[in-house]
Amino acid sequence: MTRAEAKQRNRQALLAAARLIVARDGHRAKLEEIAEQAELTTGAVYSLFGSKNGLLVALVTDHLTPHYDSIEQAIPADMGLAEAVEVFARHYRHLCDDPEALRHLSFEISLQDLALRDPELAPKLAASVRAHEQRLTALLSGRLHYGTAVTSRQAQRLATALRALLVGLSQGVILGLADDASSDYFAATARALITPDVLGPP
């Protein structure tokens, strides 16, 4: 194994361990336990991520990146805005049926709990989430809606509303609070956000 391969292996081992322990322990997650779970030392955490917070920020990126990668692949460049929004919403609904959906939700809530308790971590996690939201903004920007291309500013406003809506609906489905929220329901509620009030001026 090369040095680069060993570094990547250790990085993935620490991310997997952190995901497990943060989901289990929330704000009580200890760096020593994460390192032990990964069969590494805390020194490896500092070497690879700079700090515990650096590891947690990388954890958010590692969690969100595949999600947005799959969305980009599902929405071709020539698709109109309304159809693109529907595809995005249906993708969110599909994730609710994942056997690991409850574990993923537990992990996400634990990260939010960590951010609330650590004033230094909160803006870093927010920046990581915002960077992925920008990917959605870029994906929606320029798409046609009633013959007019959506501007970047409008796409940003819509992306923020979509993420808030779909995160909330998904949590309701996973927790059994919205059992009748089908893929069609997700698509319809998301499409309903495409209004002049939400999009705002160009």
Side-chain angles (χ1 to χ4, degrees):
M1 183 179 292
T2 66
R3 191 172 190 176
E5 288 171 339
K7 183 177 180 179
Q8 182 62 16
R9 180 200 62 185
N10 291 345
R11 186 180 188 279
Q12 291 304 316
L14 285 167
L15 287 170
R19 189 178 297 108
L20 178 70
I21 291 174
V22 166
R24 186 191 71 193
D25 298 343
H27 70 275
R28 293 182 298 276
K30 295 180 180 178
L31 192 59
E32 294 79 9
E33 285 191 57
I34 293 172
E36 182 180 352
Q37 175 72 25
E39 299 183 350
L40 294 166
T41 65
T42 54
V45 176
Y46 290 104
S47 174
L48 290 167
F49 300 100
S51 64
K52 178 182 177 182
N53 281 355
L55 170 60
L56 294 174
V57 171
L59 198 56
V60 173
T61 299
D62 187 68
H63 179 67
L64 292 177
T65 296
H67 172 56
Y68 281 91
D69 285 347
S70 61
I71 290 169
E72 288 176 349
Q73 292 169 9
I75 302 178
D78 60 350
M79 185 178 282
L81 179 67
E83 190 177 357
V85 165
E86 287 188 17
V87 170
F88 178 57
R90 291 181 190 279
H91 175 83
Y92 248 94
R93 179 61 183 85
H94 176 71
L95 292 176
C96 298
D97 296 327
D98 188 320
E100 297 293 311
L102 186 58
R103 186 173 66 84
H104 291 321
L105 177 58
S106 175
F107 164 70
E108 291 166 5
I109 292 173
S110 294
L111 276 177
Q112 292 169 7
D113 181 45
L114 280 164
L116 289 172
R117 296 170 184 271
D118 187 338
E120 291 185 4
L121 177 61
K124 294 177 182 178
L125 289 181
S128 182
V129 172
R130 196 172 296 117
H132 285 86
E133 189 173 291
Q134 286 300 322
R135 291 182 64 179
L136 178 59
T137 297
L139 189 63
L140 298 176
S141 183
R143 295 185 185 274
L144 294 179
H145 183 56
Y146 290 115
T148 302
V150 173
T151 66
S152 178
R153 179 182 178 184
Q154 291 174 321
Q156 174 66 65
R157 288 170 58 89
L158 180 58
T160 299
L162 281 171
R163 190 177 62 79
L165 170 70
L166 296 174
V167 166
L169 280 176
S170 296
Q171 290 180 359
V173 172
I174 294 169
L175 294 173
L177 303 174
D179 295 331
D180 58 346
S182 65
S183 178
D184 287 344
Y185 180 81
F186 267 57
T189 54
R191 190 176 60 246
L193 289 176
I194 309 175
T195 66
D197 287 337
V198 172
L199 293 176

